[in-house]
Amino acid sequence: MSSEERNTERQHGRDCHDPPPAPLLDMGELKQWSFYRAAIAEFIATFLFLFFAVSIVVNYKEPNYTDQCSRVGYLGIAWANGGMIFVLVYCTSGISGGHLNPAVTFGMLVARKMSLIRAAAYMLAQCLGAILGHLFVFLFMYADEQQSSVGVVNVVSPNYSKGAGLGAEFIGTFVLVYTVFSATDPKRNARDSHVPVLAPLPIGFAVFVVHLATIPTTGTGINPARSLATNLIHRSTAEAMDDLWIFWVG
């Protein structure tokens, strides 16, 4: 019996076929336009996410706003981040998978859903897009040079220990990546034809809920590219740079 026949027999009675593991090193991808198009999509989407996400926090912290009722607050920040993730994942999922996050890309690499070369390209594009997006906010939207970076830069709150911050980032990132894998599960897609359309919705809601839970603890990283961009551009305090490892390890 051939391997193809054995595979057919193994899959008999199932409503889907699990895709084979992606090769660890696929040099052929470097010759495909779809590879570069996907990396560009990740760059643009992460750029837009950082631009809007940080802009909201900057305006929330703007000292010239005296009317507290005009500010979005933690709830508005959480909704904005979840909503932007929903929109951007929906727009890019057909091109690159809509990762927008090195943690998600790393999870896909470990699960052998993408090659090492593609994962490295995604992570590089995400980090560069995040840095450029935050740089645009820093150059054009800051009201004055002395405006506080509190809330913009990911740092563990003084009320919490480093271990608590690491735990919050670990659990928050796990919830996000777990939701991504669940929403894109091929078995679920085979059973429910509407799921591919709705897949970005639970991912956006996961980001929303995690932000509500972890903003007071770490300012909510769960995205190493975001943490790198804000810490790298501001370099506001030695504490912020010392805490950067928490948001990458977590």
Side-chain angles (χ1 to χ4, degrees), residues 77-107:
I77 293 173
W79 271 119
N81 279 271
M84 279 304 299
I85 288 295
F86 166 70
V87 171
L88 293 172
V89 170
Y90 178 82
C91 292
T92 59
S93 58
I95 303 173
S96 64
H99 294 187
L100 285 70
N101 189 332
V104 174
T105 300
F106 181 73

mmCIF file of all heavy atoms in Angstrom, residues 77-107:
data_model
loop_
_atom_site.group_PDB
_atom_site.id
_atom_site.type_symbol
_atom_site.label_atom_id
_atom_site.label_comp_id
_atom_site.label_asym_id
_atom_site.label_seq_id
_atom_site.Cartn_x
_atom_site.Cartn_y
_atom_site.Cartn_z
ATOM 1 N N ILE A 77 -9.159 52.152 25.501
ATOM 2 C CA ILE A 77 -7.877 51.654 24.975
ATOM 3 C C ILE A 77 -7.989 50.174 24.626
ATOM 4 O O ILE A 77 -7.522 49.723 23.572
ATOM 5 C CB ILE A 77 -6.752 51.893 25.990
ATOM 6 C CG1 ILE A 77 -6.496 53.398 26.159
ATOM 7 C CG2 ILE A 77 -5.473 51.178 25.577
ATOM 8 C CD1 ILE A 77 -5.521 53.737 27.273
ATOM 9 N N ALA A 78 -8.627 49.412 25.516
ATOM 10 C CA ALA A 78 -8.799 47.977 25.258
ATOM 11 C C ALA A 78 -9.667 47.741 24.030
ATOM 12 O O ALA A 78 -9.347 46.901 23.182
ATOM 13 C CB ALA A 78 -9.417 47.299 26.488
ATOM 14 N N TRP A 79 -10.769 48.485 23.910
ATOM 15 C CA TRP A 79 -11.637 48.339 22.743
ATOM 16 C C TRP A 79 -10.906 48.713 21.458
ATOM 17 O O TRP A 79 -11.047 48.049 20.423
ATOM 18 C CB TRP A 79 -12.874 49.226 22.886
ATOM 19 C CG TRP A 79 -14.026 48.581 23.569
ATOM 20 C CD1 TRP A 79 -14.630 48.982 24.731
ATOM 21 C CD2 TRP A 79 -14.740 47.415 23.150
ATOM 22 N NE1 TRP A 79 -15.658 48.139 25.056
ATOM 23 C CE2 TRP A 79 -15.770 47.170 24.101
ATOM 24 C CE3 TRP A 79 -14.623 46.555 22.062
ATOM 25 C CZ2 TRP A 79 -16.651 46.107 23.990
ATOM 26 C CZ3 TRP A 79 -15.505 45.484 21.955
ATOM 27 C CH2 TRP A 79 -16.502 45.265 22.908
ATOM 28 N N ALA A 80 -10.120 49.794 21.511
ATOM 29 C CA ALA A 80 -9.413 50.245 20.315
ATOM 30 C C ALA A 80 -8.387 49.215 19.859
ATOM 31 O O ALA A 80 -8.268 48.926 18.659
ATOM 32 C CB ALA A 80 -8.730 51.584 20.592
ATOM 33 N N ASN A 81 -7.641 48.647 20.797
ATOM 34 C CA ASN A 81 -6.650 47.635 20.431
ATOM 35 C C ASN A 81 -7.313 46.384 19.878
ATOM 36 O O ASN A 81 -6.882 45.834 18.854
ATOM 37 C CB ASN A 81 -5.786 47.289 21.646
ATOM 38 C CG ASN A 81 -4.683 48.294 21.889
ATOM 39 O OD1 ASN A 81 -3.578 48.169 21.367
ATOM 40 N ND2 ASN A 81 -4.970 49.312 22.683
ATOM 41 N N GLY A 82 -8.372 45.917 20.539
ATOM 42 C CA GLY A 82 -9.081 44.741 20.042
ATOM 43 C C GLY A 82 -9.723 44.987 18.692
ATOM 44 O O GLY A 82 -9.685 44.124 17.810
ATOM 45 N N GLY A 83 -10.299 46.192 18.515
ATOM 46 C CA GLY A 83 -10.930 46.511 17.241
ATOM 47 C C GLY A 83 -9.942 46.609 16.102
ATOM 48 O O GLY A 83 -10.210 46.132 14.989
ATOM 49 N N MET A 84 -8.775 47.211 16.359
ATOM 50 C CA MET A 84 -7.765 47.324 15.316
ATOM 51 C C MET A 84 -7.219 45.953 14.924
ATOM 52 O O MET A 84 -6.989 45.674 13.740
ATOM 53 C CB MET A 84 -6.617 48.223 15.774
ATOM 54 C CG MET A 84 -6.891 49.703 15.633
ATOM 55 S SD MET A 84 -7.326 50.184 13.936
ATOM 56 C CE MET A 84 -5.851 49.701 13.040
ATOM 57 N N ILE A 85 -7.027 45.087 15.904
ATOM 58 C CA ILE A 85 -6.570 43.731 15.595
ATOM 59 C C ILE A 85 -7.607 43.009 14.751
ATOM 60 O O ILE A 85 -7.277 42.327 13.767
ATOM 61 C CB ILE A 85 -6.281 42.947 16.891
ATOM 62 C CG1 ILE A 85 -5.006 43.477 17.552
ATOM 63 C CG2 ILE A 85 -6.144 41.452 16.608
ATOM 64 C CD1 ILE A 85 -3.740 43.248 16.743
ATOM 65 N N PHE A 86 -8.886 43.146 15.099
ATOM 66 C CA PHE A 86 -9.950 42.521 14.322
ATOM 67 C C PHE A 86 -9.910 42.986 12.870
ATOM 68 O O PHE A 86 -9.947 42.177 11.936
ATOM 69 C CB PHE A 86 -11.311 42.856 14.947
ATOM 70 C CG PHE A 86 -12.480 42.538 14.060
ATOM 71 C CD1 PHE A 86 -12.832 41.224 13.802
ATOM 72 C CD2 PHE A 86 -13.223 43.549 13.481
ATOM 73 C CE1 PHE A 86 -13.911 40.922 12.977
ATOM 74 C CE2 PHE A 86 -14.299 43.264 12.648
ATOM 75 C CZ PHE A 86 -14.646 41.947 12.405
ATOM 76 N N VAL A 87 -9.805 44.300 12.655
ATOM 77 C CA VAL A 87 -9.813 44.852 11.295
ATOM 78 C C VAL A 87 -8.585 44.406 10.515
ATOM 79 O O VAL A 87 -8.675 43.958 9.366
ATOM 80 C CB VAL A 87 -9.895 46.390 11.349
ATOM 81 C CG1 VAL A 87 -9.676 46.989 9.965
ATOM 82 C CG2 VAL A 87 -11.243 46.833 11.905
ATOM 83 N N LEU A 88 -7.407 44.512 11.135
ATOM 84 C CA LEU A 88 -6.169 44.226 10.417
ATOM 85 C C LEU A 88 -5.992 42.732 10.149
ATOM 86 O O LEU A 88 -5.469 42.347 9.100
ATOM 87 C CB LEU A 88 -4.976 44.778 11.204
ATOM 88 C CG LEU A 88 -4.925 46.310 11.299
ATOM 89 C CD1 LEU A 88 -3.832 46.760 12.258
ATOM 90 C CD2 LEU A 88 -4.707 46.930 9.919
ATOM 91 N N VAL A 89 -6.406 41.883 11.084
ATOM 92 C CA VAL A 89 -6.349 40.437 10.836
ATOM 93 C C VAL A 89 -7.299 40.069 9.709
ATOM 94 O O VAL A 89 -6.970 39.247 8.831
ATOM 95 C CB VAL A 89 -6.681 39.648 12.119
ATOM 96 C CG1 VAL A 89 -6.866 38.161 11.802
ATOM 97 C CG2 VAL A 89 -5.577 39.818 13.148
ATOM 98 N N TYR A 90 -8.472 40.675 9.707
ATOM 99 C CA TYR A 90 -9.430 40.415 8.624
ATOM 100 C C TYR A 90 -8.843 40.822 7.271
ATOM 101 O O TYR A 90 -9.013 40.114 6.272
ATOM 102 C CB TYR A 90 -10.725 41.183 8.887
ATOM 103 C CG TYR A 90 -11.762 41.024 7.800
ATOM 104 C CD1 TYR A 90 -12.587 39.901 7.767
ATOM 105 C CD2 TYR A 90 -11.910 41.985 6.808
ATOM 106 C CE1 TYR A 90 -13.531 39.740 6.761
ATOM 107 C CE2 TYR A 90 -12.851 41.834 5.798
ATOM 108 C CZ TYR A 90 -13.664 40.715 5.782
ATOM 109 O OH TYR A 90 -14.593 40.562 4.793
ATOM 110 N N CYS A 91 -8.131 41.949 7.232
ATOM 111 C CA CYS A 91 -7.599 42.460 5.966
ATOM 112 C C CYS A 91 -6.407 41.653 5.465
ATOM 113 O O CYS A 91 -6.205 41.527 4.257
ATOM 114 C CB CYS A 91 -7.187 43.929 6.132
ATOM 115 S SG CYS A 91 -8.570 45.064 6.382
ATOM 116 N N THR A 92 -5.600 41.122 6.368
ATOM 117 C CA THR A 92 -4.341 40.493 5.958
ATOM 118 C C THR A 92 -4.336 38.975 6.073
ATOM 119 O O THR A 92 -3.362 38.339 5.658
ATOM 120 C CB THR A 92 -3.167 41.047 6.797
ATOM 121 O OG1 THR A 92 -3.422 40.785 8.189
ATOM 122 C CG2 THR A 92 -3.023 42.548 6.596
ATOM 123 N N SER A 93 -5.390 38.388 6.630
ATOM 124 C CA SER A 93 -5.364 36.937 6.846
ATOM 125 C C SER A 93 -5.227 36.163 5.541
ATOM 126 O O SER A 93 -4.604 35.093 5.508
ATOM 127 C CB SER A 93 -6.633 36.491 7.592
ATOM 128 O OG SER A 93 -7.793 36.850 6.862
ATOM 129 N N GLY A 94 -5.784 36.680 4.458
ATOM 130 C CA GLY A 94 -5.676 35.992 3.188
ATOM 131 C C GLY A 94 -4.346 36.174 2.490
ATOM 132 O O GLY A 94 -4.045 35.483 1.513
ATOM 133 N N ILE A 95 -3.535 37.100 2.991
ATOM 134 C CA ILE A 95 -2.233 37.378 2.370
ATOM 135 C C ILE A 95 -1.094 36.744 3.168
ATOM 136 O O ILE A 95 -0.259 36.026 2.622
ATOM 137 C CB ILE A 95 -2.006 38.896 2.257
ATOM 138 C CG1 ILE A 95 -3.136 39.548 1.463
ATOM 139 C CG2 ILE A 95 -0.652 39.192 1.603
ATOM 140 C CD1 ILE A 95 -3.071 41.061 1.442
ATOM 141 N N SER A 96 -1.080 37.022 4.472
ATOM 142 C CA SER A 96 0.029 36.549 5.299
ATOM 143 C C SER A 96 -0.422 35.684 6.470
ATOM 144 O O SER A 96 0.423 35.137 7.191
ATOM 145 C CB SER A 96 0.801 37.753 5.847
ATOM 146 O OG SER A 96 -0.022 38.519 6.713
ATOM 147 N N GLY A 97 -1.722 35.581 6.676
ATOM 148 C CA GLY A 97 -2.219 34.885 7.854
ATOM 149 C C GLY A 97 -2.589 35.841 8.962
ATOM 150 O O GLY A 97 -3.190 35.445 9.957
ATOM 151 N N GLY A 98 -2.215 37.119 8.817
ATOM 152 C CA GLY A 98 -2.579 38.138 9.793
ATOM 153 C C GLY A 98 -1.988 37.902 11.165
ATOM 154 O O GLY A 98 -2.708 37.918 12.167
ATOM 155 N N HIS A 99 -0.677 37.741 11.255
ATOM 156 C CA HIS A 99 -0.030 37.511 12.551
ATOM 157 C C HIS A 99 0.107 38.810 13.343
ATOM 158 O O HIS A 99 -0.333 38.905 14.487
ATOM 159 C CB HIS A 99 1.342 36.885 12.358
ATOM 160 C CG HIS A 99 1.293 35.515 11.780
ATOM 161 N ND1 HIS A 99 2.416 34.722 11.648
ATOM 162 C CD2 HIS A 99 0.269 34.780 11.285
ATOM 163 C CE1 HIS A 99 2.082 33.565 11.106
ATOM 164 N NE2 HIS A 99 0.776 33.582 10.867
ATOM 165 N N LEU A 100 0.796 39.802 12.787
ATOM 166 C CA LEU A 100 1.000 41.120 13.402
ATOM 167 C C LEU A 100 1.710 41.040 14.745
ATOM 168 O O LEU A 100 1.690 42.001 15.523
ATOM 169 C CB LEU A 100 -0.343 41.848 13.611
ATOM 170 C CG LEU A 100 -1.037 42.444 12.397
ATOM 171 C CD1 LEU A 100 -1.592 41.401 11.461
ATOM 172 C CD2 LEU A 100 -2.180 43.355 12.864
ATOM 173 N N ASN A 101 2.338 39.918 15.026
ATOM 174 C CA ASN A 101 2.871 39.700 16.369
ATOM 175 C C ASN A 101 3.922 38.594 16.312
ATOM 176 O O ASN A 101 3.614 37.472 15.894
ATOM 177 C CB ASN A 101 1.722 39.299 17.307
ATOM 178 C CG ASN A 101 2.124 39.253 18.757
ATOM 179 O OD1 ASN A 101 3.277 39.006 19.093
ATOM 180 N ND2 ASN A 101 1.154 39.474 19.635
ATOM 181 N N PRO A 102 5.161 38.869 16.729
ATOM 182 C CA PRO A 102 6.189 37.823 16.718
ATOM 183 C C PRO A 102 5.825 36.618 17.575
ATOM 184 O O PRO A 102 6.265 35.498 17.284
ATOM 185 C CB PRO A 102 7.433 38.537 17.272
ATOM 186 C CG PRO A 102 7.206 39.981 16.949
ATOM 187 C CD PRO A 102 5.726 40.187 17.092
ATOM 188 N N ALA A 103 5.021 36.823 18.630
ATOM 189 C CA ALA A 103 4.621 35.692 19.471
ATOM 190 C C ALA A 103 3.735 34.726 18.698
ATOM 191 O O ALA A 103 3.882 33.502 18.806
ATOM 192 C CB ALA A 103 3.893 36.202 20.717
ATOM 193 N N VAL A 104 2.816 35.264 17.899
ATOM 194 C CA VAL A 104 1.956 34.423 17.075
ATOM 195 C C VAL A 104 2.788 33.708 16.012
ATOM 196 O O VAL A 104 2.618 32.510 15.765
ATOM 197 C CB VAL A 104 0.844 35.264 16.416
ATOM 198 C CG1 VAL A 104 0.034 34.412 15.436
ATOM 199 C CG2 VAL A 104 -0.065 35.861 17.468
ATOM 200 N N THR A 105 3.700 34.441 15.389
ATOM 201 C CA THR A 105 4.569 33.843 14.374
ATOM 202 C C THR A 105 5.422 32.735 14.960
ATOM 203 O O THR A 105 5.592 31.667 14.353
ATOM 204 C CB THR A 105 5.470 34.928 13.748
ATOM 205 O OG1 THR A 105 4.647 35.930 13.138
ATOM 206 C CG2 THR A 105 6.389 34.334 12.697
ATOM 207 N N PHE A 106 5.951 32.950 16.150
ATOM 208 C CA PHE A 106 6.769 31.928 16.802
ATOM 209 C C PHE A 106 5.937 30.686 17.099
ATOM 210 O O PHE A 106 6.401 29.550 16.934
ATOM 211 C CB PHE A 106 7.371 32.479 18.091
ATOM 212 C CG PHE A 106 8.249 31.506 18.820
ATOM 213 C CD1 PHE A 106 9.512 31.187 18.339
ATOM 214 C CD2 PHE A 106 7.812 30.889 19.982
ATOM 215 C CE1 PHE A 106 10.327 30.282 19.010
ATOM 216 C CE2 PHE A 106 8.615 29.988 20.660
ATOM 217 C CZ PHE A 106 9.873 29.682 20.171
ATOM 218 N N GLY A 107 4.687 30.890 17.538
ATOM 219 C CA GLY A 107 3.809 29.750 17.783
ATOM 220 C C GLY A 107 3.547 28.954 16.523
ATOM 221 O O GLY A 107 3.543 27.721 16.537
#
